[in-house]
Amino acid sequence: MLKICDICKSFNGIEVLNNVSLDIEESSILGLAGSSGSGKSTLLRCIQGLEIPDHGTINYDRKIGFMFQDFNLFPHMTVLQNLVYAPSLRATADEKKRYIDKARDMLKDLGIAGKESTYPGTLSGGQKQRVALARSLMIDPEVLLCDEPTSGLDVATIEDVVGLLRKVNGLGVTIVVASHDLEFLAQICGRIVLLRQGKILLDIDPRDNPIAIENLKNSYT
Amino acid sequence: MNRITADFLYIGSGIVLTLELLVGSVLIGLVGGVLFAVARRCNTVCKALINGIVSVVRGTPVILQLSIIYFTIPQVFGCKLGIIPTGVIAFGINSSAYVAEILRAGIENLPKGQFEVSRALGIPRFHMWKDIILPQVLMNILPALINETVTLLKETALIATVGGMDIMRRSQVIAAEQYEYFIPLCIAAFIYYALVLLIEFIGRKVEGLKRYAENL
């Protein structure tokens, strides 16, 4: 279990997270909802270790994958290089070959086979998203953090993302998704936590409580 | 052989020294600039130290730096540096300060996400700089680096002040011998300009290669 206890984080005196505590079950999908500036991304960044909380602890020492909102693919590397670069750094020649095979399989699974030697600049938003997902899965993470995975994508591509994340979750990977898109979160999450001004406002199961989603939408404003 | 051809060959043979100085100082400038730019981001002590060095080097004339290296090293250490080592060190250090500044701008302009994703993927710092950050930054700042190389080529003419027989010095020798300035100086100008065009041509080729690769 991923245990988050009393996390506080402020930037230049502005409090972004205020005593946030969460227990995240293994192999679950947790949605972090909230408007811009509510602290969703900061919470994900704290879990990943990109930000150090001012106070509180995060109890987790296993591999975490992170899918960034703007993908952050390496523009000077091909799709295949993007995937295998990090895992291959400390690998033997045999392992490197296995990583290449694994990357090819993963691209095939994600429906972008044949793009191995393409540079990210020529991919569409949906394709970049898949490459970013594949790259974060290359290290076999036990937890996958996704920051706004649907921003800037069209409806059909969002459906694809839902399918992909479900598939990843089916492999036993715990997923934490931050998104302002409540309908998207309601589709995939077993639990939605609403943040407002750095505090947890609501913590619900969307399947048990469909009306609550409507209420959540209202609580945005 | 007429006089102009003879003058041209004499002045043109200075290209060897000019190019030796240029290649040496571009290499020192690039390596030094990269080290300065990366070390600057390590900790505050490094940052303050390198800011100081860059400020002093950029704040004093190259001809003064050249003279300091050429005249003070024999006085202080008792050994004399040759023309080429003197020039390469002086122009190289000077260039490294400018390259460090160009790189700083390039690094600051790179999306922060490239650093973050490197950390998230567990890429060690050395590899992050070598394979992720610097290749992108160097490609982005290539036009500025070409500009710096052109500036450096023209600065090498200062080697004449410590007795280096480069293109500039040779044209002055001819002028002094023949009491005729126009032709030898025009020959020197022509050679420098041709070299600058060559550097610009190579720069454009490298930039084109990058664009070609990214649009395959």
Side-chain angles (χ1 to χ4, degrees), chain A residues 12-167:
Chain A
N12 302 324
I14 298 162
E15 207 158 49
V16 181
L17 291 174
N18 186 355
N19 284 317
V20 174
S21 294
L22 265 179
D23 289 346
I24 303 169
E25 292 294 327
E26 266 174 43
S27 304
S28 64
I29 306 187
L30 172 84
L32 292 175
S35 49
S36 300
S38 58
K40 314 182 290 284
S41 293
T42 307
L43 183 56
L44 286 188
R45 293 166 61 82
C46 285
I47 299 174
Q48 171 69 60
L50 291 174
E51 304 287 353
I52 297 161
D54 301 333
H55 176 264
T57 54
I58 292 168
N59 229 333
Y60 200 72
D61 57 1
R62 280 178 270 175
K63 276 188 268 186
I64 301 178
F66 199 113
M67 206 162 82
F68 289 84
Q69 181 173 2
D70 35 17
F71 318 129
N72 290 334
L73 297 175
F74 303 132
H76 61 303
M77 292 187 183
T78 63
V79 166
L80 190 65
Q81 287 168 336
N82 260 281
L83 262 62
V84 299
Y85 174 73
S88 300
L89 277 176
R90 294 185 192 89
T92 61
D94 274 356
E95 284 169 334
K96 279 180 190 170
K97 268 187 210 139
R98 273 203 296 279
Y99 282 126
I100 291 174
D101 293 339
K102 184 178 171 184
R104 287 186 195 280
D105 289 345
M106 207 173 273
L107 291 173
K108 209 155 88 189
D109 280 353
L110 296 180
I112 41 168
K115 293 281 178 193
E116 286 86 347
S117 41
T118 318
Y119 284 84
T122 57
L123 298 176
S124 70
Q127 289 170 332
K128 281 182 192 163
Q129 178 77 278
R130 284 154 194 262
V131 176
L133 177 63
R135 186 175 63 178
S136 51
L137 293 176
M138 279 297 289
I139 55 165
D140 293 320
E142 279 144 282
V143 172
L144 178 66
L145 310 174
C146 306
D147 195 2
E148 298 281 2
T150 61
S151 73
L153 300 183
D154 59 63
V155 181
T157 318
I158 292 176
E159 287 296 317
D160 287 347
V161 175
V162 170
L164 292 174
L165 291 182
R166 280 206 184 116
K167 200 166 164 183

Side-chain angles (χ1 to χ4, degrees), chain B residues 33 36-38 40-41 51 54 58 96-112 115 129 133-134 136-142 144-145:
Chain B
F36 280 171
V38 174
R40 244 181 189 172
R41 292 180 69 101
N51 282 352
V54 169
R58 294 206 314 157
S96 65
Y98 285 91
V99 172
E101 283 296 289
I102 297 170
L103 273 165
R104 183 172 64 90
I107 293 167
E108 283 170 7
N109 267 323
L110 199 71
K112 215 173 122 205
F115 290 90
W129 281 106
I133 307 298
L134 287 173
Q136 293 185 61
V137 170
L138 288 173
M139 271 307 181
N140 291 342
I141 62 167
L142 198 63
L145 288 181

Side-chain angles (χ1 to χ4, degrees), chain B residues 55-71:
Chain B
S55 173
V56 170
V57 173
R58 294 206 314 157
T60 49
V62 194
I63 192 167
L64 177 80
Q65 293 163 10
L66 191 68
S67 306
I68 287 177
I69 291 172
Y70 191 71
F71 296 114

